Amino acid sequence: MKFAFFDTKPYDKPHFERYGQENGVTFKFFETKLNEDTVKLAHGFHGVCVFVNDTVNAAVIDRLHEFGVKIVALRCAGFNNVDMKHAFGKIHVVRVPAYSPYAVAEHAMALLLASTRKIHKAFNRSKEFNFSLAGLTGFDLYGKTVGVIGTGKIGRIFVNICLGFGMKVLAYDKFPSKELESTAGVKYVELDELLAGSDIISLHCPLTEETQHLIGKEAIEKCKKGVVLINTSRGALVDSEALLAGIKSRQIGAACLDVYEEESDWFFEDNSANIMEDDTLARLISMPNVIVTSHQAFLTEEALENIAETTVNNIISLSKTGQCPNELCYRGGTAEDCKDGKCFA
Ligand code: NAI
């Protein structure tokens, strides 16, 4: 079976080549992202393998269907870049529901510690033999309250890491976890209570119509003054303009961002020789209390290995049995959630 692999990065290849060869799946690696202009490259392939910033909208799906492409294999968990309703009846969509939730949760904590202990500033100073401590005063995480929005696989691990630091946890989820509810130090609350009571807020819910700009002007006004916001989930959960305004007004004390609303134009690429045309991103990055990483929370050896293994297994399972536990349902859930058990007809 031949798959067109879009948005290839050097770190993707070794794992996919190895698992592909072992299982009879050949990947043709394209550096370009999948979109309306590049979809023609998928002609003649059984499937496409795509990542978070590839575009799988109605137009792209129609072209893939026209070419006889049968599978969209997402090598990520989030699927907000796929028009699931339009894909129904035309093409299978599979994903990697979890590759290393630890990688993302640990990155969220790494960002938080870097921010609160001003490691990013200290690193730059000591490179220039500037060993002054002025302006580097941080604060203890012990005893602070962290608000965790979305307590699925990643959110729960992040909660446990925070509990290990002696923090109190306020949690908010559309579907609270019974297990977490009974954990000492964790309290499920309504969103407004979480916003008002948290010193730190970390986002771990998916991007949906409902959660788009969950953290906007109104939500920011409800937060504690000086709150630290961490977003390792999806950029559009946060209204970037409102975030910038919140930082300028000092309502937001610091922001740790691994994702950004308009990241597909900039992230994952070396833009150091280009003029940054996104003024909001440029302004955010210029702030001393903002740390931006380029959607790298997932990037560990363990996660890359799991991503390649699960993606190849998804492809094999679908081609051999016509079914796959990681197939996405047109309603946007998983095959397991789908009551009639038929995600594709
Ligand atoms: P998950 O599906 O295990 O958990 C998501 C949780 O969010 C669930 O408990 C769900 O009930 C909750 N949720 C759904 N809608 C909600 C709403 N409207 N309000 C509050 N909670 C809501 O997903 P997982 O694996 O924990 O991943 C979370 C997110 O992390 C993904 O959706 C993805 O966007 C992001 N992610 C980011 C990565 C990175 O490299 N930065 C890598 C992997 C995932």
Side-chain angles (χ1 to χ4, degrees):
M1 267 183 304
K2 288 195 312 178
F3 269 69
F5 194 104
F6 287 89
D7 200 10
T8 308
K9 295 287 178 289
Y11 47 78
D12 291 319
K13 275 185 169 181
H15 301 283
F16 273 92
E17 269 170 347
R18 182 157 65 80
Y19 279 103
Q21 272 163 17
E22 285 169 11
N23 293 281
V25 182
T26 308
F27 292 102
K28 169 86 179 165
F29 295 100
F30 295 109
E31 282 185 16
T32 181
K33 291 186 182 66
L34 177 64
N35 55 41
E36 289 96 329
D37 298 327
T38 60
V39 64
K40 53 184 175 288
L41 292 169
H43 193 267
F45 288 89
H46 293 101
V48 292
C49 184
V50 299
F51 196 51
V52 292
N53 290 321
D54 289 296
T55 305
V56 193
N57 60 15
V60 169
I61 289 167
D62 285 341
R63 292 299 301 283
L64 292 174
H65 186 51
E66 198 182 302
F67 299 154
V69 172
K70 298 276 185 277
I71 302 173
V72 174
L74 290 161
R75 51 180 194 278
C76 53
F79 48 89
N80 51 286
N81 53 336
V82 182
D83 186 336
M84 288 304 305
K85 288 202 174 90
H86 200 78
F88 178 60
K90 297 189 182 76
I91 200 157
H92 293 279
V93 183
V94 290
R95 66 164 180 160
V96 182
Y99 24 99
S100 175
Y102 298 97
V104 183
E106 288 172 14
H107 192 76
M109 181 47 89
L111 287 174
L112 176 59
L113 284 171
S115 170
T116 58
R117 303 309 306 269
K118 306 195 192 310
I119 304 295
H120 55 308
K121 291 167 125 340
F123 177 81
N124 285 337
R125 280 190 195 183
S126 43
K127 281 277 172 204
E128 293 190 352
F129 307 106
N130 172 357
F131 300 118
S132 155
L133 296 182
L136 297 186
T137 309
F139 63 82
D140 292 6
L141 292 182
Y142 177 80
K144 296 292 183 305
T145 300
V146 60
V148 178
I149 301 182
T151 54
K153 291 177 284 298
I154 297 170
R156 261 178 265 179
I157 293 166
F158 185 71
V159 165
N160 284 328
I161 293 174
C162 291
L163 290 174
F165 273 78
M167 302 171 84
K168 292 172 223 143
V169 177
L170 295 178
Y172 170 72
D173 197 297
K174 234 180 137 180
F175 307 99
S177 145
K178 288 260 177 302
E179 188 194 333
L180 201 59
E181 216 159 24
S182 56
T183 304
V186 181
K187 188 178 164 204
Y188 272 102
V189 292
E190 288 305 315
L191 183 59
D192 280 0
E193 194 179 337
L194 181 149
L195 296 174
S198 301
D199 302 298
I200 296 140
I201 294 175
S202 194
L203 305 178
H204 299 288
C205 60
L207 175 62
T208 61
E209 276 174 25
E210 200 181 349
T211 60
Q212 179 158 22
H213 288 183
L214 185 75
I215 304 298
K217 186 173 179 289
E218 267 184 41
I220 290 170
E221 279 166 5
K222 289 175 187 166
C223 288
K224 264 193 186 181
K225 195 165 175 67
V227 66
V228 178
L229 179 71
I230 310 165
N231 188 7
T232 56
S233 200
R234 283 292 180 269
L237 293 175
V238 178
D239 177 342
S240 316
E241 293 295 338
L243 173 67
L244 191 54
I247 291 166
K248 283 188 190 167
S249 71
R250 316 295 196 267
Q251 174 69 3
I252 294 194
C256 307
L257 310 174
D258 186 51
V259 286
Y260 172 67
E261 264 190 285
E262 305 299 335
E263 69 177 44
S264 58
D265 296 338
W266 304 102
F267 279 22
F268 299 109
E269 307 299 336
D270 179 1
N271 281 296
S272 56
N274 299 333
I275 303 294
M276 170 49 69
E277 282 169 14
D278 185 325
D279 290 350
T280 308
L281 181 59
R283 191 75 175 97
L284 282 170
I285 287 175
S286 78
M287 295 285 185
N289 52 353
V290 175
I291 300 181
V292 175
T293 52
S294 173
H295 205 137
Q296 78 174 71
F298 75 98
L299 195 62
T300 64
E301 279 300 327
E302 291 81 356
L304 291 174
E305 181 92 18
N306 287 340
I307 289 170
E309 186 180 15
T310 308
T311 304
V312 171
N313 286 342
N314 286 345
I315 293 168
I316 298 297
S317 169
L318 259 186
S319 64
K320 283 195 176 152
T321 68
Q323 288 181 339
C324 172
N326 296 328
E327 176 159 19
L328 287 163
C329 158
Y330 70 98
R331 287 197 279 262
T334 63
E336 284 157 355
D337 300 333
C338 196
K339 288 204 175 52
D340 55 14
K342 277 188 143 213
C343 292
F344 183 80

